[in-house]
Every structure is written in C-alpha cells, then in structure tokens.
Amino acid sequence: MNALALSNIGHAFLGRTVLDRVGLDIGEGELVALVGPSGCGKSTLLHIAAGLVEPRQGSVIRSYARHAVVFQEPRLLPWATARKNIGMALPERLSGRDRQDRVLAAAAAAALEEEDLDKYPVQLSGGMKQRTAIARGLASEADFLFFDEPFSALDPALRRHMQDIVIRHAGNGRRSGLFITHDMTEAVRIAHRVVVLERRGNGISGERHVPLTPGERDDRMIFETVQRFMKEDPLFRHVEELDERRTG
Amino acid sequence: MHSLAKRVSRTGQFLWSGWSGLAGLSVFAAFWQVVHEAYGSFILPSPLETLTAAQALLGDVSAWQLLLTTSSRALSGFALAGVIGTVAGCIAGFHPAILRLVQPQITLMLGVPPIAWIVLLMIWFGTGSATVTTTAAVACLPIVFLGASEGIASRDRLLDDMALSLGMGQVRRFVRITIPQMLNRLFPILVMALGTAFKAAVMAELLANAGGIGEALAVSRSNLDVANALAWILLSVSALLAVEYGLIQPTRSELEAWRHAARPWGVKR
Ligand SMILES: Nc1ncnc2c1ncn2[C@@H]1O[C@H](COP(=O)(O)OP(=O)(O)OP(=O)(O)O)[C@@H](O)[C@H]1O
Ligand SMILES: [Mg+2]
C-alpha cells in the first residue's frame, strides 16, 4: 500500500508546460528525496501532491490521514509570535496544556530557544524563521511530511541536526515523506530512495535506492555513495551540471 | 503577568507619545498667533482667546449636549459605513468581477459633492438626525469599501496555501489568515473615514439647521462672533481626536503589536 501515489501528472502555467507525465509512488514509512535542477518543477509537483495546486492531468491518491508542508519560504504569520505560528498547526481539540507541551517539544526539536518563541517573525533571523516553519511542520500530527528545500537557510551544523530530526521523524518507518533538496549529501543521508525529476519536468529520469536505512549510514558510506552517484552515474549528470552552473 | 507588564509599558509609551503631539500643536498655535498679530482679533482671535471662549462654552451644559449630539451622529454614520463598507468590500475583494461592477459606483459616490447629498437627503429624510447620520455614512462609505476590498485583494495567498496545507477549513482560514491582513490595510483608512464622518456631520448640521455643532456654528456666523466659531471648531476637532485616540488607535495598537516590535527604539510612535 502506497501512502502517496502520483500518476501521469501534467501541469502548465499560462500555457507553458511545467510537468508532463510524472509518476511517483511513496510507500508507507518511506522517505523519498526528490532532486533536479532549479526550475524543473519540483515545488510544483510538491504543491500538487499536497493538494494546493490542481493538476491539469493525472491523479493524486493519498492514503494517509493528515499531512504537513514545510515550504521553500517560511510562510509565517507576521502578526503572530513564533509560539502562535507553531501552535497553529496543532489540532483544535487539544487542551491548553497539551498545546503548550507540543509547541515546546517541536520548538526544541527545531533548536529554537524558549525565549525566541515570544518574538514576532520580523524579530527572527532568516534561519530562525525557517526553523520556526520546520517546528510548525513537526508540531502537526501529520503522518506524511512534505519538505521543500527546508534547510537552505541554515549553517552546516544546524543542517545536520535538522536532518537527524527528519530522520527520526520520518526516516524511521513511522511516517512517510517527500523531501526536495539540491544537496546530494543531504538526499543520500536522509532518504530511502533518491528520485530525479527530468530537467524540463518530462517525467522522472530515474531513481536510486540508497543502501541501509537512514540513520544507520555513517559519513564515510554517505560520502562514497555521493561520489559514486555524481561521478559514475549518468542519472545525476544534470544535477552535477547544475552544481557547475551554480559555482561558475 | 508578563503580558500585563507589556500592556502597561505599551500604554505608557502611547501616553508619552502625547508629548510629541502637543509639540506639534504648539507649533500650529504659534503660527496662529503670528497671523492673529498681523490681522487683529476681528479676523482671527488669538489661540488664547479661542481657548477661553471654548472654556466658557464648556461651562454650559447645553454645549456638552450639542457636542454629544454631533459626535453620536458622526459615530453612527461612521459605524454604519464601517459595517456596510467592510462587508461589501470583503465580498468584492474575493470576487474581482463584483469589484469591477462596483468600482464605477464608488467613483460616482466619491464624485458627487457632499452638498448635493445633503440636499437630496434633506428632501428624503427631512432635517433631522437621519439626514446628518446618512450624510456622514455616505461620505465615508466609499473609502471604507475601497480599503476593505484592497485589503482582501492584496492578501498574501502563500499564507492561505500554508493554512490550507495544515487542513484549516474555509471559515477558519478567513478568520485567522485573511481578516488580520484585511484589517492591516483597513485601519489607517478607518482613521481617515472617521475624520470625514465628523466633517460631513458638522456640514450637514449647518446646512440643514439640524442642531449640533453645525447649527451652533451657523449662529456664531450670524452674530459675526469669530472667537465663538473658532471655539466650536476647536471643540469638534477635540471630539474627533478623543474618539480617534480613545477608540481607534488603542484597538489598532492592540492588533498591531507585531508592527511595534519591528520598529527599532526611537522611531516608535
Ligand atoms: N505561479 C506560477 N506561475 C507561473 N509560472 C510558475 C509558477 N510557479 C512556478 N512557475 C514556473 O514553473 C517552473 C517550475 O517551478 P518550480 O517552482 O516548481 O521549480 P523548482 O524545481 O522548485 O525550482 P527550485 O529548485 O529553484 O525551487 C518554473 O519555470 C517557474 O517559472
Ligand atoms: Mg522549488
């Protein structure tokens, strides 16, 4: 049984085709990393999967109860404190006490300090905003998590820390997730499977299973896998090209 | 406890900001004094004379009565326009087609001079409170409508999507995501609309002889009593300021505490 099944997805913005015949299945308890060059339609695919955009073609079948999305931008309510922003993801029925505990737990997981919780988004740094958005995603009782390049505003140490949280949250088989990233090391570290979107959105170019389960892989193994993917595997040529374009 | 301390500090800052307002008024009074000294008391009585006249007026209960009459008429007009304009503006903000249809009528309403409204309303409603209240409402309805519809139309749709992704229903999204954004736009406009309501109410009273400050002004005019006329103007402006700073600004600062947080020290209002 798949938690999420996208089949034959096609989408166009103002007549310009962005996605065409894209199919992607994500199993129960599976965390899939989606990579592809900038502008190839990854975010669009995620929005379609999360039901925020109606696809022109194809079908989306979700067999989980509730999902949460960590967007590419923080998308915080400017008039609410970090605490309220995180709390808005919680189900209504919770008591005040439960609510407080869950917000604190999610904030702690996202390495936010308690004193920062009473600040408004304008008073937070870029990375803190992003972490607040991540905490909001974690606080919800979602059994499917969507991440759209959530760690791009964080420093390497914090990035690792957040990756570990994602692994603990979704990589351990309890929840499923779709994780968009540009960073191959990140993809190999956290995901069961890495899927490459064709650079013009014409379907999925291919996919690779990463050995072992997330959390069991050591740095050496991750490094070697990334090297193998980037150097020898034709599937990741575009991703490599992108990296060259970026540094150039 | 914590929030109480915050509130007290905010109120303190608010009161403290009164000094800068007073400073501004003093500059205005200084210019007034200069013009008074150039043209004499008959054309323009000095600020002090005006204040004395206003004080004398306030000693009389009937003056308070007049102030209350005008204020309540202006306020009911303002409230009427506020409710109708906000509701209609919200609907139009969500439906661009409706906005297109209503826009020409708003332009029309803005274009018709208030005098013309007063004449029409006098014919329809006679020369009572209804005419004054309706004039005030008609004068500020278009701006409230435009403010509300702008506020809705320019909302951040990304936040809407975010709330949708958390499974929020339509009503909760409207109340918790859209309304705060709309109010953000609407509040500065409400301040303007309130001023307009007062102006329109006084004018309607004057032209329709409908009591209130307007009629008192008319009496001063016929007596060529400039000091008294200025005193009445002073009182009506004070009534407007009392409503604005007693009602609208506190509500606004309550809703916009986050904006306050964004401002560095020294630039706070
Ligand atoms: N609302 C929109 N209207 C019109 N075009 C859009 C819209 N959103 C995205 N696009 C276009 O669709 C294409 C795919 O965009 P998308 O955001 O999905 O890319 P992406 O793969 O997430 O890129 P990145 O890695 O830079 O985030 C881009 O060419 C973009 O210009
Ligand atoms: Mg994107």
PDB file of all heavy atoms in Angstrom, chain B residues 162-181:
ATOM      1  N   MET B 162      -0.559  27.944   2.892  1.00  0.00           N
ATOM      2  CA  MET B 162       0.059  27.336   4.074  1.00  0.00           C
ATOM      3  C   MET B 162      -1.039  26.819   5.016  1.00  0.00           C
ATOM      4  O   MET B 162      -0.989  25.682   5.483  1.00  0.00           O
ATOM      5  CB  MET B 162       0.939  28.380   4.745  1.00  0.00           C
ATOM      6  CG  MET B 162       1.718  27.915   5.934  1.00  0.00           C
ATOM      7  SD  MET B 162       0.782  28.033   7.436  1.00  0.00           S
ATOM      8  CE  MET B 162       0.581  29.798   7.552  1.00  0.00           C
ATOM      9  N   ALA B 163      -2.046  27.692   5.253  1.00  0.00           N
ATOM     10  CA  ALA B 163      -3.125  27.295   6.160  1.00  0.00           C
ATOM     11  C   ALA B 163      -3.900  26.115   5.580  1.00  0.00           C
ATOM     12  O   ALA B 163      -4.294  25.196   6.301  1.00  0.00           O
ATOM     13  CB  ALA B 163      -4.053  28.473   6.407  1.00  0.00           C
ATOM     14  N   LEU B 164      -4.086  26.141   4.281  1.00  0.00           N
ATOM     15  CA  LEU B 164      -4.793  25.043   3.625  1.00  0.00           C
ATOM     16  C   LEU B 164      -4.021  23.743   3.806  1.00  0.00           C
ATOM     17  O   LEU B 164      -4.597  22.686   4.079  1.00  0.00           O
ATOM     18  CB  LEU B 164      -4.957  25.368   2.134  1.00  0.00           C
ATOM     19  CG  LEU B 164      -5.729  24.365   1.293  1.00  0.00           C
ATOM     20  CD1 LEU B 164      -7.167  24.295   1.764  1.00  0.00           C
ATOM     21  CD2 LEU B 164      -5.668  24.752  -0.185  1.00  0.00           C
ATOM     22  N   SER B 165      -2.694  23.825   3.697  1.00  0.00           N
ATOM     23  CA  SER B 165      -1.882  22.609   3.821  1.00  0.00           C
ATOM     24  C   SER B 165      -1.955  22.041   5.235  1.00  0.00           C
ATOM     25  O   SER B 165      -1.687  20.869   5.446  1.00  0.00           O
ATOM     26  CB  SER B 165      -0.433  22.897   3.444  1.00  0.00           C
ATOM     27  OG  SER B 165       0.239  23.514   4.515  1.00  0.00           O
ATOM     28  N   LEU B 166      -2.312  22.900   6.211  1.00  0.00           N
ATOM     29  CA  LEU B 166      -2.472  22.395   7.578  1.00  0.00           C
ATOM     30  C   LEU B 166      -3.881  21.870   7.820  1.00  0.00           C
ATOM     31  O   LEU B 166      -4.234  21.524   8.936  1.00  0.00           O
ATOM     32  CB  LEU B 166      -2.164  23.499   8.591  1.00  0.00           C
ATOM     33  CG  LEU B 166      -0.706  23.929   8.688  1.00  0.00           C
ATOM     34  CD1 LEU B 166      -0.569  25.135   9.582  1.00  0.00           C
ATOM     35  CD2 LEU B 166       0.139  22.778   9.218  1.00  0.00           C
ATOM     36  N   GLY B 167      -4.684  21.884   6.766  1.00  0.00           N
ATOM     37  CA  GLY B 167      -6.018  21.328   6.882  1.00  0.00           C
ATOM     38  C   GLY B 167      -7.042  22.279   7.485  1.00  0.00           C
ATOM     39  O   GLY B 167      -8.058  21.846   8.002  1.00  0.00           O
ATOM     40  N   MET B 168      -6.771  23.578   7.461  1.00  0.00           N
ATOM     41  CA  MET B 168      -7.743  24.533   8.010  1.00  0.00           C
ATOM     42  C   MET B 168      -8.922  24.683   7.062  1.00  0.00           C
ATOM     43  O   MET B 168      -8.745  24.774   5.851  1.00  0.00           O
ATOM     44  CB  MET B 168      -7.089  25.904   8.148  1.00  0.00           C
ATOM     45  CG  MET B 168      -6.334  26.080   9.415  1.00  0.00           C
ATOM     46  SD  MET B 168      -6.028  27.826   9.627  1.00  0.00           S
ATOM     47  CE  MET B 168      -4.937  27.769  11.014  1.00  0.00           C
ATOM     48  N   GLY B 169     -10.104  24.759   7.632  1.00  0.00           N
ATOM     49  CA  GLY B 169     -11.301  24.938   6.811  1.00  0.00           C
ATOM     50  C   GLY B 169     -11.417  26.367   6.323  1.00  0.00           C
ATOM     51  O   GLY B 169     -10.666  27.243   6.741  1.00  0.00           O
ATOM     52  N   GLN B 170     -12.389  26.575   5.445  1.00  0.00           N
ATOM     53  CA  GLN B 170     -12.531  27.879   4.799  1.00  0.00           C
ATOM     54  C   GLN B 170     -12.807  28.994   5.809  1.00  0.00           C
ATOM     55  O   GLN B 170     -12.218  30.068   5.736  1.00  0.00           O
ATOM     56  CB  GLN B 170     -13.682  27.804   3.804  1.00  0.00           C
ATOM     57  CG  GLN B 170     -13.539  28.787   2.679  1.00  0.00           C
ATOM     58  CD  GLN B 170     -14.384  28.389   1.492  1.00  0.00           C
ATOM     59  OE1 GLN B 170     -15.228  27.505   1.581  1.00  0.00           O
ATOM     60  NE2 GLN B 170     -14.179  29.048   0.374  1.00  0.00           N
ATOM     61  N   VAL B 171     -13.684  28.711   6.763  1.00  0.00           N
ATOM     62  CA  VAL B 171     -14.074  29.737   7.726  1.00  0.00           C
ATOM     63  C   VAL B 171     -12.892  30.108   8.615  1.00  0.00           C
ATOM     64  O   VAL B 171     -12.589  31.285   8.832  1.00  0.00           O
ATOM     65  CB  VAL B 171     -15.258  29.253   8.586  1.00  0.00           C
ATOM     66  CG1 VAL B 171     -15.590  30.274   9.649  1.00  0.00           C
ATOM     67  CG2 VAL B 171     -16.462  28.975   7.704  1.00  0.00           C
ATOM     68  N   ARG B 172     -12.189  29.093   9.089  1.00  0.00           N
ATOM     69  CA  ARG B 172     -11.038  29.380   9.950  1.00  0.00           C
ATOM     70  C   ARG B 172      -9.953  30.117   9.191  1.00  0.00           C
ATOM     71  O   ARG B 172      -9.294  31.002   9.733  1.00  0.00           O
ATOM     72  CB  ARG B 172     -10.486  28.080  10.532  1.00  0.00           C
ATOM     73  CG  ARG B 172     -11.113  27.738  11.872  1.00  0.00           C
ATOM     74  CD  ARG B 172     -10.578  26.430  12.396  1.00  0.00           C
ATOM     75  NE  ARG B 172      -9.212  26.533  12.856  1.00  0.00           N
ATOM     76  CZ  ARG B 172      -8.372  25.495  12.914  1.00  0.00           C
ATOM     77  NH1 ARG B 172      -8.768  24.322  12.506  1.00  0.00           N
ATOM     78  NH2 ARG B 172      -7.159  25.651  13.362  1.00  0.00           N
ATOM     79  N   ARG B 173      -9.768  29.753   7.940  1.00  0.00           N
ATOM     80  CA  ARG B 173      -8.770  30.476   7.138  1.00  0.00           C
ATOM     81  C   ARG B 173      -9.161  31.936   6.999  1.00  0.00           C
ATOM     82  O   ARG B 173      -8.327  32.832   7.122  1.00  0.00           O
ATOM     83  CB  ARG B 173      -8.650  29.851   5.750  1.00  0.00           C
ATOM     84  CG  ARG B 173      -7.824  28.618   5.706  1.00  0.00           C
ATOM     85  CD  ARG B 173      -7.148  28.436   4.369  1.00  0.00           C
ATOM     86  NE  ARG B 173      -8.012  28.558   3.215  1.00  0.00           N
ATOM     87  CZ  ARG B 173      -8.757  27.577   2.727  1.00  0.00           C
ATOM     88  NH1 ARG B 173      -8.753  26.401   3.302  1.00  0.00           N
ATOM     89  NH2 ARG B 173      -9.512  27.758   1.675  1.00  0.00           N
ATOM     90  N   PHE B 174     -10.441  32.166   6.772  1.00  0.00           N
ATOM     91  CA  PHE B 174     -10.907  33.547   6.604  1.00  0.00           C
ATOM     92  C   PHE B 174     -10.680  34.350   7.891  1.00  0.00           C
ATOM     93  O   PHE B 174     -10.143  35.443   7.866  1.00  0.00           O
ATOM     94  CB  PHE B 174     -12.385  33.551   6.212  1.00  0.00           C
ATOM     95  CG  PHE B 174     -12.970  34.914   6.074  1.00  0.00           C
ATOM     96  CD1 PHE B 174     -12.541  35.761   5.050  1.00  0.00           C
ATOM     97  CD2 PHE B 174     -13.924  35.381   6.961  1.00  0.00           C
ATOM     98  CE1 PHE B 174     -13.071  37.028   4.920  1.00  0.00           C
ATOM     99  CE2 PHE B 174     -14.453  36.641   6.839  1.00  0.00           C
ATOM    100  CZ  PHE B 174     -14.020  37.469   5.815  1.00  0.00           C
ATOM    101  N   VAL B 175     -11.082  33.750   9.014  1.00  0.00           N
ATOM    102  CA  VAL B 175     -10.994  34.483  10.283  1.00  0.00           C
ATOM    103  C   VAL B 175      -9.549  34.676  10.716  1.00  0.00           C
ATOM    104  O   VAL B 175      -9.163  35.752  11.163  1.00  0.00           O
ATOM    105  CB  VAL B 175     -11.788  33.731  11.380  1.00  0.00           C
ATOM    106  CG1 VAL B 175     -11.564  34.375  12.734  1.00  0.00           C
ATOM    107  CG2 VAL B 175     -13.259  33.716  11.028  1.00  0.00           C
ATOM    108  N   ARG B 176      -8.729  33.637  10.564  1.00  0.00           N
ATOM    109  CA  ARG B 176      -7.395  33.700  11.160  1.00  0.00           C
ATOM    110  C   ARG B 176      -6.316  34.166  10.212  1.00  0.00           C
ATOM    111  O   ARG B 176      -5.256  34.615  10.650  1.00  0.00           O
ATOM    112  CB  ARG B 176      -7.038  32.340  11.754  1.00  0.00           C
ATOM    113  CG  ARG B 176      -7.975  32.041  12.914  1.00  0.00           C
ATOM    114  CD  ARG B 176      -7.701  30.747  13.583  1.00  0.00           C
ATOM    115  NE  ARG B 176      -6.310  30.558  13.931  1.00  0.00           N
ATOM    116  CZ  ARG B 176      -5.860  29.447  14.488  1.00  0.00           C
ATOM    117  NH1 ARG B 176      -6.690  28.474  14.735  1.00  0.00           N
ATOM    118  NH2 ARG B 176      -4.596  29.322  14.776  1.00  0.00           N
ATOM    119  N   ILE B 177      -6.525  34.042   8.923  1.00  0.00           N
ATOM    120  CA  ILE B 177      -5.475  34.426   7.978  1.00  0.00           C
ATOM    121  C   ILE B 177      -5.865  35.679   7.204  1.00  0.00           C
ATOM    122  O   ILE B 177      -5.067  36.610   7.061  1.00  0.00           O
ATOM    123  CB  ILE B 177      -5.191  33.281   6.971  1.00  0.00           C
ATOM    124  CG1 ILE B 177      -5.035  31.955   7.696  1.00  0.00           C
ATOM    125  CG2 ILE B 177      -3.997  33.612   6.108  1.00  0.00           C
ATOM    126  CD1 ILE B 177      -3.783  31.819   8.506  1.00  0.00           C
ATOM    127  N   THR B 178      -7.090  35.711   6.693  1.00  0.00           N
ATOM    128  CA  THR B 178      -7.460  36.800   5.800  1.00  0.00           C
ATOM    129  C   THR B 178      -7.850  38.070   6.546  1.00  0.00           C
ATOM    130  O   THR B 178      -7.399  39.163   6.186  1.00  0.00           O
ATOM    131  CB  THR B 178      -8.616  36.357   4.881  1.00  0.00           C
ATOM    132  OG1 THR B 178      -8.312  35.072   4.362  1.00  0.00           O
ATOM    133  CG2 THR B 178      -8.794  37.323   3.746  1.00  0.00           C
ATOM    134  N   ILE B 179      -8.676  37.934   7.588  1.00  0.00           N
ATOM    135  CA  ILE B 179      -9.149  39.137   8.284  1.00  0.00           C
ATOM    136  C   ILE B 179      -7.989  39.955   8.874  1.00  0.00           C
ATOM    137  O   ILE B 179      -7.971  41.179   8.708  1.00  0.00           O
ATOM    138  CB  ILE B 179     -10.209  38.766   9.353  1.00  0.00           C
ATOM    139  CG1 ILE B 179     -11.496  38.409   8.638  1.00  0.00           C
ATOM    140  CG2 ILE B 179     -10.445  39.928  10.309  1.00  0.00           C
ATOM    141  CD1 ILE B 179     -12.703  38.350   9.518  1.00  0.00           C
ATOM    142  N   PRO B 180      -7.024  39.343   9.541  1.00  0.00           N
ATOM    143  CA  PRO B 180      -5.926  40.166  10.049  1.00  0.00           C
ATOM    144  C   PRO B 180      -5.223  40.960   8.951  1.00  0.00           C
ATOM    145  O   PRO B 180      -4.853  42.118   9.149  1.00  0.00           O
ATOM    146  CB  PRO B 180      -4.968  39.139  10.668  1.00  0.00           C
ATOM    147  CG  PRO B 180      -5.815  37.990  11.025  1.00  0.00           C
ATOM    148  CD  PRO B 180      -6.885  37.941   9.979  1.00  0.00           C
ATOM    149  N   GLN B 181      -5.054  40.339   7.777  1.00  0.00           N
ATOM    150  CA  GLN B 181      -4.399  41.058   6.680  1.00  0.00           C
ATOM    151  C   GLN B 181      -5.265  42.210   6.189  1.00  0.00           C
ATOM    152  O   GLN B 181      -4.775  43.274   5.824  1.00  0.00           O
ATOM    153  CB  GLN B 181      -4.117  40.107   5.520  1.00  0.00           C
ATOM    154  CG  GLN B 181      -3.138  39.030   5.870  1.00  0.00           C
ATOM    155  CD  GLN B 181      -2.822  38.163   4.677  1.00  0.00           C
ATOM    156  OE1 GLN B 181      -2.270  38.622   3.694  1.00  0.00           O
ATOM    157  NE2 GLN B 181      -3.189  36.907   4.745  1.00  0.00           N
TER     158      GLN B 181
END
